[in-house]
Amino acid sequence: MPNPFSAIPLPPALHASLETLGYVEMTPVQAASLPAIITGRDVIAQAPTGSGKTVAFGLGLLHRLDVTLVKPQALVLCPTRELADQVAKELRRLAAAIPNLKVLLLTGGVALGPQLASLRKDSHVVVGTPGRVQEMIKKQALSLAKVKTLVLDEADRMLDMGFEEAIRDIVRSLPPKRQGLLFSATFPEEIRRIGHDLLREPLEVTIGGAAEKPEIDERFFEVELARKPAALAALLAQYKPESSVVFCNTRRDVDDVVEALGDAGIDALALHGDIEQRDRDEVLVRFANRSCSVLVASDVAARGLDIKDLAAVINYELPPDKDIYQHRIGRTARAGAKGLALNLVTPREMPRANTLEALAGSPLCWEAIRPAGGKAENLHAAMVTLRIDAGRTDKMRPGDILGALTGDAGLVAAAVGKIDVFPTRSYVAIRRADAGKALERLRARGIKGRKVRVARL
Ligand code: ADP
Ligand code: MG
């Protein structure tokens, strides 16, 4: 049954953005929640990752905004900085056709000073992590007196991360007359409780269940602990996933695995909580623009990230908890495609495998690892990233970078991939074979007549 956005009474600007984004049909969670959301009703919704929750609450909060009132009118709380950043970006895309609409990002991991400065300029929507938002309220730098919509995104993760008290504290600064929207991938008891306390007679929406379970090809490989690094390299050489995340249970393992893969000639990047924020951003840019095909991550670092369409998820070690296992492998097989989950299991981890088998109710698929025969260069990513030390504050726009690369006798447009512009830096993905030429060109000619520092990552 089709559920087009056109059936929802939204302002023309939002319909225009949806059209630009190519969103025509609503996803199930959008179809089930949007009609209630736009009437102003509170909603508590459970839906799996990748089901389009951001657009559901984004349209809801944007359609209620009064652009002439430059005060925060919507507050979106997210568990991590990366997730908040992704939500802010999606909101900006949805609001692209609304002139002068400001979305402010308030998260930890970056200096307080610039955030305090942007707060003085005011905005319409605040997206942030509970810790930093709470801090800004305490400093009296953020007034939430005009907030009409409160969104708790990935509420289960926020509670897991110990943000319950911060959330309750923040909510005390909000007007009592407001709309509350709570989104969560799971519905444990704590979520019901906080939903009951913070929302008023919410509409309950549950999407998912057996019928929509993604199809994932799960395979298990028994391997001695000392053989794991070689086994991982062999699996990557055998399956050659176009993009994969290797999950480790500890930060130590993340670093060790990246090093071992490097020794085996496989480019991999690490993502864990000890890595500086700016470097984490860079890692995500390189992974998303396809200049790195293997990301080695801890659960916390990967939490809530919109890393989509993974060809494979590899568990370097089985997680201690079956929910974490499901959460990890749920990142492959998005958007209907069949996914691949590969699991390395030592004899000591066998009880965890047995638990998964008992839950699945059918035997696990065990396979032997074929020794690596494939050559490492097969695993080089298609693209290479160039970092440019200039960004939004230098008035750099993606079109400027594309123009500098492709202008007279430059690269063909097809050689240029994703372009990401941050406040003080920009990144551009270049087809591997053209990377040298692109680097030379930018160094020799600059961008918009200005010299820029460029590095190949
Ligand atoms: P969730 O928060 O439920 O995990 P997201 O909001 O991150 O999911 O959405 C997942 C992806 O689906 C995003 O890339 C988003 O742009 C895309 N998307 C959302 N709604 C639609 C739609 N109606 N049609 C097409 N793509 C959509
Ligand atoms: Mg989401």
Side-chain angles (χ1 to χ4, degrees):
M1 200 177 54
N3 280 304
F5 280 109
S6 55
I8 303 284
L10 291 167
L14 291 177
H15 277 301
S17 298
L18 290 168
E19 194 166 319
T20 310
L21 289 165
Y23 300 170
V24 179
E25 292 291 325
M26 290 189 274
T27 65
V29 69
Q30 290 161 0
S33 64
L34 252 181
I37 289 176
I38 62 165
T39 64
R41 187 162 175 198
D42 284 5
V43 171
I44 179 165
Q46 175 189 17
T49 313
S51 55
K53 296 187 281 287
T54 318
V55 172
F57 67 72
L59 291 173
L61 67 87
L62 288 172
H63 107 284
R64 306 185 78 203
L65 282 185
D66 172 3
V67 188
T68 60
L69 173 70
V70 195
K71 293 266 179 275
Q73 295 164 55
L75 172 68
V76 182
L77 296 175
C78 303
T80 66
R81 176 177 174 205
E82 284 87 357
L83 185 66
D85 189 46
Q86 284 171 2
V87 166
K89 283 192 178 125
E90 182 88 352
L91 293 180
R92 288 190 186 115
R93 280 193 288 269
L94 285 172
I98 308 175
N100 301 321
L101 192 130
K102 295 265 178 314
V103 178
L104 176 68
L105 190 59
L106 284 185
T107 59
V110 291
L112 264 173
Q115 284 188 356
L116 281 167
S118 17
L119 273 172
R120 275 190 288 275
K121 278 184 254 148
D122 269 332
S123 57
H124 300 93
V125 180
V126 173
V127 181
T129 46
R132 184 56 68 98
V133 169
Q134 190 185 25
E135 200 176 343
M136 291 299 191
I137 296 172
K138 276 216 193 77
K139 288 195 177 348
Q140 300 196 324
L142 175 64
S143 164
L144 299 173
K146 298 285 180 206
V147 167
K148 295 190 273 196
T149 315
L150 165 71
V151 179
L152 303 176
D153 191 18
E154 308 244 356
D156 49 348
R157 297 286 152 203
M158 289 202 282
L159 297 195
D160 283 352
M161 292 170 81
F163 282 138
E164 179 162 352
E165 269 324 299
I167 293 169
R168 287 181 186 271
D169 189 40
I170 291 165
V171 169
R172 281 190 277 273
S173 317
L174 300 180
K177 198 169 163 293
R178 57 166 193 265
Q179 182 178 25
L181 306 173
L182 183 154
F183 293 84
S184 184
T186 58
F187 254 176
E189 189 43 41
E190 306 90 82
I191 291 290
R192 294 190 176 280
R193 206 178 51 231
I194 199 163
H196 176 264
D197 293 350
L198 305 184
L199 307 176
R200 252 146 315 180
E201 297 171 31
L203 170 74
E204 282 201 21
V205 171
T206 306
I207 302 289
E212 296 190 32
K213 257 220 179 99
E215 220 193 317
I216 302 175
D217 184 359
E218 296 169 65
R219 302 183 188 196
F220 294 77
F221 304 86
E222 187 174 353
V223 55
E224 295 296 331
L225 189 60
R227 294 262 318 137
K228 268 194 178 179
L232 175 61
L235 284 181
L236 287 168
Q238 183 188 340
Y239 287 91
K240 297 188 183 57
E242 209 185 321
S243 61
S244 60
V245 170
V246 177
F247 279 103
C248 297
N249 293 1
T250 67
R251 295 170 183 191
R252 253 305 282 288
D253 278 348
V254 170
D255 288 331
D256 290 350
V257 166
V258 168
E259 202 182 310
L261 289 177
D263 291 344
I266 299 170
D267 299 332
L269 291 171
L271 190 71
H272 63 59
D274 275 351
I275 295 170
E276 265 199 65
Q277 193 58 57
R278 198 164 74 174
D279 295 329
R280 273 206 258 176
D281 289 341
E282 207 164 273
V283 164
L284 290 172
V285 163
R286 291 166 73 185
F287 189 67
N289 74 16
R290 306 212 164 262
S291 52
C292 156
S293 58
V294 184
L295 189 64
V296 185
S298 64
D299 291 295
V300 173
R303 203 162 256 182
L305 286 184
D306 183 25
I307 299 176
K308 283 182 300 200
D309 306 325
L310 289 176
V313 164
I314 304 179
N315 286 312
Y316 189 71
E317 185 181 348
L318 287 181
D321 180 301
K322 61 152 183 20
D323 288 337
I324 299 178
Y325 177 80
Q326 290 302 337
H327 201 256
R328 285 182 181 181
I329 71 168
R331 292 172 176 281
T332 176
R334 289 181 140 198
K338 186 162 179 171
L340 180 65
L342 306 174
N343 300 286
L344 294 174
V345 187
T346 59
R348 276 190 59 169
E349 293 165 55
M350 222 32 100
R352 292 180 185 172
N354 294 338
T355 306
L356 292 176
E357 183 165 67
L359 286 163
S362 57
L364 300 179
C365 170
W366 289 94
E367 280 187 18
I369 290 172
R370 293 193 220 145
K375 273 266 144 277
E377 52 259 47
N378 296 339
L379 297 163
H380 271 316
M383 311 293 275
V384 166
T385 298
L386 303 185
R387 180 179 63 216
I388 300 162
D389 282 357
R392 258 202 311 279
T393 49
D394 311 285
K395 304 248 184 307
M396 183 71 72
R397 287 165 313 176
D400 301 328
I401 299 171
L402 183 64
L405 285 163
T406 57
D408 37 43
L411 275 63
V412 294
V416 184
K418 199 161 175 280
I419 298 175
D420 294 277
V421 178
F422 287 83
T424 58
R425 299 170 157 217
S426 307
Y427 299 89
V428 54
I430 308 283
R431 220 156 52 182
R432 184 168 289 273
D434 300 291
K437 184 175 174 191
L439 187 62
E440 259 169 50
R441 190 177 164 91
L442 291 181
R443 282 184 176 155
R445 308 163 54 132
I447 301 176
K448 286 200 293 184
R450 246 202 351 250
K451 273 207 116 22
V452 285
R453 285 202 4 212
V454 189
R456 178 179 172 152
L457 300 179

